[in-house]
Amino acid sequence: MIKKYLPTFLLLLAVSLVLGACGGTSNKDASEDKESESNQSSEGFEPYTVKHAMGETTIKEKPERVVILTNEGTEALLAMGVKPVGAVKSWTGDPWYDHIKGQMEGVEVVGDESNVNIEKILSLKPDLIIGNKMRQEDIYEKLSKIAPTVFSETLRGEWQTNFMTYAKALNMEDKGKQLIDEYNQRLSEFAEKAGDKLNQKVSVIRFMPDHVRIYHKDSFSGVILEQIGFKRPKSQNKNDFMEKATKERIPAMDGDILFYFTYETGDGAATELEKEWLNDPLFQNLDVVKEGDVHEVSDAIWNTAGGYIAANKMVDDLERIILNEKE
């Protein structure tokens, strides 16, 4: 009897062992499998260290919930295909600039650049925070306790340097270089098309609620104009940010072409100041006004947003106005 059923028994035993080898696991194996599944999204991820304005920060997990604390940083993330979970409010807009609001649906507001809401950031459970030393140096330590934090150094004309800092923070340096190369190529192509038009002296002014500014070369628009190769009026051909102007300085606004933008916060004060100055006899006597080469452009695009997307849109304006190319 034993001999009769022995082959069948051995066959069942062999099948059982094979199935056990394929599908059975010990408690330890099951635990390891569960851990492997939980880390599936980070498979192949290697921690990296970023040097930045506040020192060095090591990012140990793939950034997937990013909070950004500058307007130009928001544009950098969007350009690289990263939607933040939280961002500082745009300087104008409700709460985002018109040119990015379509990409910001669902993003939480975490205060503004000068008044960050730390409690709100904490509630978003970020795995990376990106900010700026010029704006948020005093809260860096608090932010660093929430998540790895990387800061750029300054603002104004520094957007390309900052852009690469943000790209490194996201571990997307190659993508960042690609986008900067594409942008620089666009400026080169513009300069080639412009030819002798680059000899025009470009004047840039801005109307604020309580004063007027003449912008120099170390400003967002100034950096772009210089990189393209435009000349600036002698009074504006300076490697600093801007000059607060009195009406006696209106003659310093003259040039071959003049661009102006107005920082209107909603109370109408900047718009009223704009009208007052544009209608002043000194302004009306400028050669550029008499030649009819004065152009109003967007404050957000030419100054306030200060990032990659705005830079490209400023070039759109220059192509339309100077090269007479339609959008």
Side-chain angles (χ1 to χ4, degrees), residues 190-220:
F190 179 97
E192 186 176 349
K193 291 178 183 178
D196 292 342
K197 292 181 178 180
L198 294 182
N199 292 325
Q200 295 180 94
K201 293 183 175 65
V202 181
S203 178
V204 181
I205 63 174
R206 186 190 194 199
F207 296 101
M208 304 285 286
D210 58 353
H211 69 276
V212 179
R213 296 179 174 184
I214 301 174
Y215 275 85
H216 299 163
K217 292 163 67 175
D218 188 23
S219 60
F220 180 70

Side-chain angles (χ1 to χ4, degrees), residues 166-184:
Y166 306 147
K168 291 174 184 177
L170 294 166
N171 203 24
M172 298 177 69
E173 190 171 2
D174 288 345
K175 178 68 173 178
K177 287 180 178 178
Q178 175 193 336
L179 290 169
I180 292 296
D181 287 345
E182 290 174 359
Y183 170 76
N184 289 333

